[in-house]
Amino acid sequence: FVAYRGQTELLGPLRKIELYEMGWNLKDGLRECLVAAAPYGGPIALLKGHYRRSPSARPQLEIYSSSGLPLASFPWKSGVVKQLGWTVSDDLLCVQEDGTVLVYDLWGGFKRHFSMGNEVSQSQVLETKIFHSPYGTGVAILTGALRFTLATNIDDIKLRRLPEVPGLQEAPSCWAVLTQDRQSKVLVANGSQLFILDNTACTPVTPPGLSPQASSIVHMCVSFSYKYLALLTDSGHVWMGTSNLKEKLSEVDTKIKTPPKQMAWCRRPKSQQPSAVVMWDGLLIVVGECKETIQYHLDDDSVLVPELVYRKLYPLAIEVCRYLKTPEYQGVSRVLKHWACYKVQQKEESDEVIAKAVSVKLADAAGISYSEIATKAYESGRTELAIKLLEFEPRSGEQVPLLLKMKKSPLALSKAIESGDTDLVYTVVMYLKNELNRGDFFMMLRNQPVALSLYKQFCKHQEQDTLKDLFNQDDDHEELGNFYVKASYKDQRLEARVALLQSAVDEYYKAKNDFSAKTTEDEMRLLRFQRKLEEEKGEQLVGFSLHDTMTTLLSVGLHKHAEQLYKDFRVPDKRFWWLKLKALAEKEDWEELEKFGKTKKSPVGYLPFVEVCIKHHNKYEAKKYVSKVTPEQKVKAHLAVGDMEGAAEAAIERRNESEISTVLSRCSATTDHLLMERLNRAKATAVKK
């Protein structure tokens, strides 16, 4: 941990003091990390690789004490995290892009989660800030719809959707949460305009005495007590004043017009005057009420290293980095990368010798990108060396782009497939599709089954004709047949539909799939039959299934045509009888139903006749079929028509205890007293038997 201390004179020099060494071992430093430090010297949370999307390379959430001692570490398996922050009670908040907030304790134990509302979930989180108010810890979110949603206390969630900012067409240049009069508000900068958003209104405000040279406010910072506000403009002016924007403390021209990395408030040790600290790459400026600044160049100690690297004094540069305790990725690894980029340009050594030397030297270096070194080799005309160096690059996503640039398409495709990252494979396949002629492209895919399978999936949704070409090239007659069948369903013209089905039949026969071929031929016959009937009878039939076609014909009284289909398509007897039985009952054509029941012995039996008549409330017709029902169904048939005597006779005759019990359960003690006695006697006899 390093502190920067100044002398008593405002413009006196600063010196760097090492207070203590952090206990963590961060080889790559804090780059590519989301970082959140709890207030009052609390824990520090890091989410490493938060940009990763692949299940094989998940982000890692790590929690440390303020001195860098590890407290917890686990892979992040939930959604994409936009912001980390700590509550006043040292709970870690992880705000995801869908508006879900996950809460962990400082040991990494999951406690709960909550949502910032449906609107945030639908619009996604663009930016978020975690803040502390008199009510507790709050969360403020800017959605993709450029609206603000606020929760002032996560322990008692009450979501507030703040008013719209007029004229806001893109994300604001900066914004912050203020706490005034025990109410949380949002201060938003849109160009040179400032607005305060509260529960009911969006109010334009103007900082008193702001430099007229400013055309945009690019950064803002609120003090920890919410009492003071600092604004940085695109003209390089730092305006400081009270957060209610009623009083100006000072305004200083930093002469720097690039946006800073960070801005924060502090107090000077002796005067206790509030001051703003602004940090750019390599430069720190402290701005106070006296309108003068303290500047400190953060890179002063490391100017020597670039000079040594420039002079190719690599071993000495490495020793200097170690002496200065420069983080490895900023020091030793960076020097080694420069050495490797120089090494690969040397012509006097072979590719094998250089590749081995680089791999040995860089074996334990952190954060080295071999793809950058390989790129330098390729630019120096050493393509084979570049390929050898890429073998040491562990990230396929870094290997593939250079391989494509070097026209090593088969290798690029193989590396993408090895990575298991389907998005990367799709990227390479689409690149090759545009770069190669159609024949070469298809030939390359044939040698890579995984890539071919993924491309076929793409073509199913995007390029149907290309899919057909792929099947043709592979002589895949089975899939071609399936393709033509699917295509036939999309065409409404009968002639075109039949033609596509005929093509499918031809392909199925080539594939020796007689079943599919004959089934497709049946479909063609059915379509022609449907069209002919449509023209003759005016019934809409084309496109119906065989079942629906017969049902429709029976329902409109075209029994002969339905029977023709029944014979032509070898419809099972039971299926056809069921269809006709239900169709006649629904039409209540009882005379035709009776004739149908007498044509021949029913393959479905006669209980269904009884049941459909009862279903359509015709007990009279149902009774006509009871006598034809088989003995084992007699009781059920008599009960269906309400004939208790007949049901009792049938049950007693069969001496079936279960059937007797069924009839008994349907008897009434008041009206069927004698019948019940008779049944009970028969039951006793059946039990003894």
Side-chain angles (χ1 to χ4, degrees):
F1 186 86
V2 174
Y4 296 94
R5 176 181 289 177
Q7 291 183 350
T8 54
E9 297 82 20
L10 183 60
L11 297 178
L14 288 172
R15 58 197 178 95
K16 185 166 72 174
I17 302 168
E18 184 171 328
L19 300 181
Y20 58 85
E21 189 171 327
M22 295 292 281
W24 57 29
N25 181 23
L26 298 178
K27 289 187 177 181
D28 293 334
L30 297 177
R31 66 174 183 173
E32 299 182 350
C33 288
L34 280 181
V35 183
Y40 309 113
I44 302 168
L46 308 177
L47 185 63
K48 295 180 177 179
H50 61 93
Y51 55 87
R52 295 173 187 159
R53 300 291 188 272
S54 172
S56 60
R58 297 184 184 277
Q60 187 77 9
L61 183 62
E62 298 180 352
I63 302 175
Y64 297 89
S65 70
S66 57
S67 59
L69 296 178
L71 300 177
S73 176
F74 55 89
W76 185 258
K77 297 181 180 180
S78 192
V80 178
V81 177
K82 298 293 286 187
Q83 185 71 32
L84 299 177
W86 292 93
T87 69
V88 292
S89 56
D90 283 349
D91 283 337
L92 178 62
L93 303 184
C94 306
V95 184
Q96 297 185 159
E97 67 178 356
D98 64 355
T100 303
V101 182
L102 286 79
V103 186
Y104 295 83
D105 62 26
L106 62 85
W107 308 107
F110 177 74
K111 296 182 73 173
R112 64 189 178 93
H113 75 277
F114 60 89
S115 171
M116 290 296 289
N118 288 332
E119 182 188 347
V120 174
S121 176
Q122 291 169 5
S123 303
Q124 301 282 285
V125 174
L126 198 60
E127 297 175 16
T128 183
K129 297 187 189 297
I130 295 166
F131 62 94
H132 301 142
S133 72
Y135 304 102
T137 301
V139 178
I141 283 177
L142 172 65
T143 70
L146 305 181
R147 297 295 297 270
F148 289 92
T149 295
L150 203 67
T152 54
N153 182 5
I154 65 163
D155 294 320
D156 182 19
I157 298 291
K158 291 184 176 65
L159 297 176
R160 291 190 289 138
R161 185 171 184 256
L162 301 185
E164 194 171 358
V165 179
L168 191 62
Q169 300 296 320
E170 57 185 3
S173 51
C174 54
W175 60 282
V177 180
L178 307 175
T179 297
Q180 298 174 353
D181 305 324
R182 297 185 64 81
Q183 183 183 358
S184 296
K185 304 177 182 181
V186 173
L187 180 66
V188 185
N190 184 19
S192 62
Q193 296 178 300
L194 273 177
F195 300 91
I196 288 184
L197 308 180
D198 59 21
N199 290 348
T200 58
C202 173
T203 308
V205 290
T206 303
L210 182 66
S211 170
Q213 299 176 35
S215 60
S216 176
I217 297 169
V218 297
H219 209 93
M220 64 175 63
C221 175
V222 184
S223 67
F224 190 73
S225 65
Y226 293 101
K227 185 177 179 181
Y228 300 107
L229 172 70
L231 304 174
L232 178 66
T233 68
D234 57 350
S235 62
H237 289 79
V238 176
W239 180 96
M240 290 183 295
T242 55
S243 62
N244 59 12
L245 295 165
K246 292 181 179 179
E247 182 183 347
K248 174 182 175 181
L249 299 178
S250 70
E251 187 174 38
V252 177
D253 186 0
T254 66
K255 311 294 185 185
I256 301 173
K257 296 185 178 181
T258 55
K261 279 191 172 269
Q262 196 172 356
M263 189 159 69
W265 280 88
C266 70
R267 283 188 179 274
R268 296 192 186 150
K270 290 187 178 182
S271 66
Q272 290 296 300
Q273 288 183 351
S275 303
V277 183
V278 192
M279 188 183 79
W280 289 267
D281 281 329
L283 180 65
L284 189 92
I285 293 181
V286 183
V287 181
E289 289 186 55
C290 57
K291 299 186 179 180
E292 293 181 331
T293 64
I294 300 172
Q295 292 193 19
Y296 183 74
H297 292 276
L298 302 176
D299 291 337
D300 284 351
D301 287 341
S302 58
V303 169
L304 179 60
V305 174
E307 290 295 326
L308 293 172
V309 169
Y310 179 73
R311 288 167 174 74
K312 300 181 175 57
L313 300 172
Y314 301 112
L316 186 55
I318 289 172
E319 289 306 315
V320 170
C321 289
R322 287 172 178 161
Y323 176 77
L324 294 174
K325 296 183 179 178
T326 307
E328 188 175 354
Y329 82 95
Q330 290 179 323
V332 174
S333 291
R334 186 176 291 182
V335 174
L336 286 173
K337 187 188 80 171
H338 282 286
W339 167 81
C341 288
Y342 168 73
K343 184 75 173 174
V344 298
Q345 298 177 66
Q346 307 310 301
K347 304 292 185 184
E348 58 273 10
E349 295 185 71
S350 68
D351 293 343
E352 290 77 10
V353 170
I354 292 178
K356 184 175 181 180
V358 169
S359 68
V360 170
K361 186 77 78 173
L362 273 57
D364 299 322
I368 292 286
S369 172
Y370 281 91
S371 63
E372 292 182 36
I373 302 167
T375 299
K376 185 62 69 175
Y378 174 66
E379 291 171 352
S380 302
R382 305 191 70 164
T383 302
E384 293 305 315
L385 174 58
I387 294 173
K388 291 179 184 296
L389 290 169
L390 282 178
E391 291 297 325
F392 304 118
E393 174 59 63
R395 296 167 295 179
S396 300
E398 297 291 324
Q399 294 177 309
V400 168
L402 181 57
L403 289 170
L404 292 175
K405 187 178 179 181
M406 294 190 298
K407 307 298 182 185
K408 300 295 180 181
S409 304
L411 187 55
L413 187 56
S414 296
K415 292 293 181 184
I417 293 169
E418 286 173 16
S419 74
D421 186 338
T422 54
D423 289 339
L424 188 59
V425 178
Y426 270 124
T427 300
V428 176
V429 168
M430 292 300 109
Y431 173 87
L432 297 177
K433 178 175 178 286
N434 295 327
E435 288 293 312
L436 303 177
N437 65 56
R438 198 178 185 86
D440 292 342
F441 175 59
F442 284 174
M443 188 61 66
M444 185 175 292
L445 290 183
R446 288 184 71 180
N447 297 325
Q448 295 285 3
V450 173
L452 180 59
S453 176
L454 287 172
Y455 186 60
K456 284 179 179 178
Q457 290 297 323
F458 167 79
C459 291
K460 281 181 182 178
H461 300 287
Q462 303 289 336
E463 298 180 4
Q464 290 285 321
D465 290 339
T466 304
L467 188 64
K468 184 176 74 170
D469 293 342
L470 280 169
F471 293 148
N472 268 319
Q473 178 167 309
D474 293 342
D475 291 330
D476 192 339
H477 300 295
E478 181 81 25
E479 286 296 341
L480 272 171
N482 296 340
F483 174 85
Y484 286 124
V485 169
K486 290 175 184 174
S488 73
Y489 286 110
K490 296 175 183 176
D491 204 314
Q492 299 301 313
R493 298 166 302 155
L494 182 68
E495 295 76 11
R497 200 166 179 179
V498 170
L500 287 166
L501 289 172
Q502 183 58 56
S503 298
V505 170
D506 297 340
E507 297 299 334
Y508 285 137
Y509 276 127
K510 289 177 185 176
K512 299 188 178 352
N513 186 341
D514 292 349
F515 174 78
S516 294
K518 293 187 185 313
T519 302
T520 308
E521 286 174 337
D522 285 345
E523 176 67 11
M524 292 165 61
R525 283 197 297 134
L526 180 61
L527 282 171
R528 293 189 181 105
F529 181 89
Q530 290 169 337
R531 170 54 62 85
K532 183 180 178 184
L533 267 185
E534 273 193 9
E535 292 172 351
E536 292 177 357
K537 307 296 182 180
E539 286 295 329
Q540 185 69 37
L541 293 169
V542 172
F544 283 16
S545 66
L546 177 61
H547 177 281
D548 291 344
T549 303
M550 289 193 297
T551 300
T552 303
L553 293 174
L554 291 168
S555 66
V556 297
L558 296 174
H559 298 287
K560 289 184 178 178
H561 296 87
E563 287 174 7
Q564 184 182 339
L565 285 178
Y566 154 60
K567 294 173 183 175
D568 290 351
F569 288 90
R570 298 187 180 89
V571 177
D573 288 350
K574 285 187 177 181
R575 182 178 172 190
F576 180 69
W577 272 66
W578 266 112
L579 284 175
K580 188 165 183 178
L581 180 61
K582 288 193 285 186
L584 292 173
E586 283 170 8
K587 281 185 66 180
E588 297 187 357
D589 191 345
W590 308 117
E591 185 179 346
E592 187 64 34
L593 180 64
E594 189 174 355
K595 288 180 182 177
F596 178 54
K598 293 177 179 178
T599 53
K600 65 176 184 177
K601 185 179 179 181
S602 168
V604 297
Y606 291 92
L607 182 60
F609 283 75
V610 175
E611 290 174 337
V612 295
C613 292
I614 294 298
K615 181 181 177 182
H616 290 85
H617 315 293
N618 195 331
K619 192 180 290 187
Y620 174 77
E621 289 294 330
K623 289 179 178 179
K624 293 180 179 179
Y625 304 100
V626 172
S627 60
K628 295 185 177 183
V629 172
T630 57
E632 57 269 17
Q633 294 180 327
K634 272 279 198 296
V635 171
K636 193 172 182 180
H638 281 292
L639 289 175
V641 298
D643 180 7
M644 300 302 296
E645 289 283 349
E649 287 290 344
I652 292 169
E653 184 178 339
R654 281 173 48 77
R655 299 181 181 179
N656 187 299
E657 181 187 356
S658 174
E659 290 180 352
I660 293 170
S661 296
T662 301
V663 179
L664 272 168
S665 67
R666 300 281 290 273
C667 289
S668 168
T670 55
T671 58
D672 301 316
H673 179 69
L674 294 175
L675 186 61
M676 289 178 69
E677 287 183 355
R678 184 179 169 201
L679 285 165
N680 280 320
R681 286 196 300 273
K683 184 178 180 181
T685 304
V687 170
K688 288 178 183 178
K689 181 183 176 183

